[in-house]
Amino acid sequence: MLIIRKLTKTLGGRTLFEDADMTINWGERVALVGPNGAGKSTLFKQILKEDKPDSGKIDLDEYAITGYLAQEAGDPGDETILEIAISTTPEMAKAIRTMREHEAAGTTDDADYHAAQDHFDANNGYALEPKAKKILAGLGFEADAYDQPANKFSGGWIMRAHLAQLLVKEPDLLMLDEPTNHLDLMALIWLQRYLKNYPGALLMISHDRDFMDELIETVYEIDEEKLISYTGNYTSYLEQRNKRYQQKVQAYRNQNKEIERVQEFIDRFRSVTSKAAQVQSRIKTLEKMKRLPKPIAPRKVFKFSFPQPKRSNQKVIELEKVHKAYGDKVIYESLDLTIERGDRMVLVGPNGAGKSTLLKILAGQLEFDSGERKCGYNTNLGYYSQHRTESMDEANTVLEEVMASGGDMREDEARSILGSFLFRRADVHKKVRVLSGGEKSRLNLVKFLVNPPNLLLMDEPTTHLDIISIEALVQALKHYEGTLVFISHDVHFIRNLADTTLHVDNGKLTRYAGGYDYYLEKSGLDDNRGAVTS
């Protein structure tokens, strides 16, 4: 279906690819991986013909239809969520818009209206609508949202509508750039099941390793300006990559030993006339030898030890008879919840069920209408949200901000931790005032790790992190001795950290005394009843 041969691309004076090859067959599931800046998005642009390579060929089957989900969607017009979902081609979008305008004006006898209606009907528009509604529901939309203008929704919801459009369209090659970023856990589970039955080929960039493990059968890594193919899912790729690195190290060492051996002979007998021919032969051997580059070790998770918090009381925090409503919409009524020392609890449930509201109430960040919130006598609470940054000194550099939080931490330790969370080299000298929202969120996360409270409340802590950074956070929190309550859509993160699952839905809390897999089993979400086929 897609064949890339001898691809070379230089960007900003830096070579991203040189003579790189890739093949994607019909129906194949492929992940593209590599560090930030390696060229993943550039390769996507070239496949989509939005950018041209310096040399090489990208051949896509002439009959193949390609669909692409970018990380960010443009501002929508006045189309509704449902109209976005069924606008599978520009022509279909124009037909829908024309029909809607004439229906609003009462001019359905116009020739333009009939032409648009004919196009809509000829392209199965009426059949697409129920399919689109089914997909929108799976992605978390309520039925009353379908006919609302998309511009009333957040960027994350608009991205879901565009994802629904692609799934309705069913392109032969579905290209997804971080498709799980804007999904909650329930929508992610639905999408994962849907894509398992997707009839076309998948090419994705993702930081969600469990999502890739469930779907991917081939991994292409951008490494040393090449596209290196690995058969299997992401976990298999990690194992194979490590073996490949060890083989490269051994080959490099063997070649250096051989070079030393030959050079020793040359140096030893250079002045011996009877050995002149042999010396010249060995000199030519060294000149012709293609020197292997020193292998670059794959980026590893930095493991660090941070101070443990003071021990809290057994009851860390309690909610009693809490009532919370937004106008006429009741979120919680007579809510009771007790969090005990050492709990590692994940909050799960459909979007809009009240998970973030509950976390904010626990954190003391949101007032409630009635009831009581009781913190334990020794409870020291910290609340992390991707949308909220802890008070920072805007004049500090990133490094100074962490050093100020980390007590006796050495500078090299602070730099290593910051590197694990994507602050590299000169980044540590940036002033806090110039950081982006995502950078401030990551810096806030590091500050929690170097001086943790004994109750840590976290809302989607992995959003601005790559796979290695997520693993660094997992390893740090595994050794955290305090109490952890969090919301996440990253299954790997949940599996490794949660020992209790709290399902939140329609103001009701259901506690499962086990982690993610226990919750799936007991809630029935791990059987085929919840699966959706394409």
Side-chain angles (χ1 to χ4, degrees), residues 93-148:
K94 182 179 178 181
I96 292 170
R97 186 165 56 252
T98 300
M99 290 168 62
R100 186 179 62 176
E101 289 171 353
H102 282 287
E103 287 166 357
T107 55
T108 55
D109 56 347
D110 189 275
D112 286 344
Y113 176 82
H114 290 296
Q117 190 176 48
D118 288 343
H119 180 88
F120 186 80
D121 192 31
N123 288 274
N124 296 316
Y126 295 104
L128 293 178
E129 187 169 314
K131 180 179 180 181
K133 288 181 177 178
K134 185 177 181 181
I135 291 171
L136 288 169
L139 292 173
F141 285 95
E142 299 290 341
D144 60 4
Y146 301 161
D147 295 321
Q148 293 185 33

Side-chain angles (χ1 to χ4, degrees), residues 192 207-215 234 490-493 495-496 516:
Q192 184 174 285
H207 289 154
D208 190 323
R209 59 185 295 167
D210 273 59
F211 188 75
M212 289 191 285
D213 271 349
E214 290 290 330
L215 294 170
Y234 186 81
D490 188 298
V491 174
H492 176 74
F493 188 81
R495 275 198 168 108
N496 276 274
Y516 177 76

Side-chain angles (χ1 to χ4, degrees), residues 424-444:
R424 304 193 182 102
R425 300 183 181 91
D427 289 342
V428 303
H429 298 301
K430 284 183 178 179
K431 296 289 187 181
V432 171
R433 70 168 67 95
V434 304
L435 298 181
S436 67
E439 288 173 324
K440 286 183 177 179
S441 292
R442 282 189 272 118
L443 179 55
N444 193 24

Side-chain angles (χ1 to χ4, degrees), residues 231-297:
T231 300
N233 62 15
Y234 186 81
T235 296
S236 176
Y237 145 73
L238 289 178
E239 295 169 352
Q240 294 175 64
R241 182 185 65 171
N242 185 59
K243 289 180 181 177
R244 181 172 178 267
Y245 170 69
Q246 296 301 331
Q247 290 168 352
K248 288 165 69 176
V249 167
Q250 191 59 50
Y252 178 75
R253 288 173 178 169
N254 290 342
Q255 186 183 67
N256 280 349
K257 287 180 181 178
E258 178 63 12
I259 290 171
E260 289 174 4
R261 187 186 66 80
V262 173
Q263 188 65 51
E264 183 182 359
F265 182 92
I266 294 170
D267 294 341
R268 183 178 179 184
F269 297 107
R270 189 185 297 273
S271 302
V272 179
T273 305
S274 62
K275 299 284 188 180
Q278 295 177 53
V279 168
Q280 287 302 313
S281 175
R282 282 165 172 77
I283 289 174
K284 289 180 180 179
T285 296
L286 289 186
E287 290 174 349
K288 292 178 180 178
M289 184 181 292
K290 184 176 181 181
R291 305 295 177 98
L292 297 175
K294 184 177 181 179
I296 299 173

Side-chain angles (χ1 to χ4, degrees), residues 70-89:
Q71 287 194 41
E72 301 294 338
D75 293 332
D78 60 352
E79 66 264 48
T80 66
I81 292 293
L82 182 59
E83 286 170 350
I84 289 177
I86 59 178
S87 298
T88 53
T89 64

Side-chain angles (χ1 to χ4, degrees), residues 240-369:
Q240 294 175 64
R241 182 185 65 171
N242 185 59
K243 289 180 181 177
R244 181 172 178 267
Y245 170 69
Q246 296 301 331
Q247 290 168 352
K248 288 165 69 176
V249 167
Q250 191 59 50
Y252 178 75
R253 288 173 178 169
N254 290 342
Q255 186 183 67
N256 280 349
K257 287 180 181 178
E258 178 63 12
I259 290 171
E260 289 174 4
R261 187 186 66 80
V262 173
Q263 188 65 51
E264 183 182 359
F265 182 92
I266 294 170
D267 294 341
R268 183 178 179 184
F269 297 107
R270 189 185 297 273
S271 302
V272 179
T273 305
S274 62
K275 299 284 188 180
Q278 295 177 53
V279 168
Q280 287 302 313
S281 175
R282 282 165 172 77
I283 289 174
K284 289 180 180 179
T285 296
L286 289 186
E287 290 174 349
K288 292 178 180 178
M289 184 181 292
K290 184 176 181 181
R291 305 295 177 98
L292 297 175
K294 184 177 181 179
I296 299 173
R299 184 175 155 222
K300 293 183 178 179
V301 175
F302 174 70
K303 297 179 181 179
F304 54 95
S305 298
F306 52 86
Q308 292 298 340
K310 293 181 179 179
R311 187 178 175 88
S312 68
N313 293 349
Q314 184 60 33
K315 286 187 178 180
V316 179
I317 192 168
E318 290 183 273
L319 301 180
E320 291 185 357
K321 307 298 181 186
V322 166
H323 181 90
K324 176 62 183 176
Y326 294 101
D328 295 332
K329 185 177 180 181
V330 177
I331 308 299
Y332 293 109
E333 187 171 11
S334 195
L335 171 68
D336 294 324
L337 177 63
T338 299
I339 308 294
E340 297 193 346
R341 185 179 65 236
D343 278 349
R344 290 171 170 264
M345 178 183 292
V346 60
L347 308 184
V348 302
N351 201 77
K355 301 185 296 296
S356 291
T357 297
L358 176 56
L359 208 64
K360 288 176 183 177
I361 290 173
L362 287 169
Q365 297 293 316
L366 185 65
E367 294 184 0
F368 43 92
D369 304 315

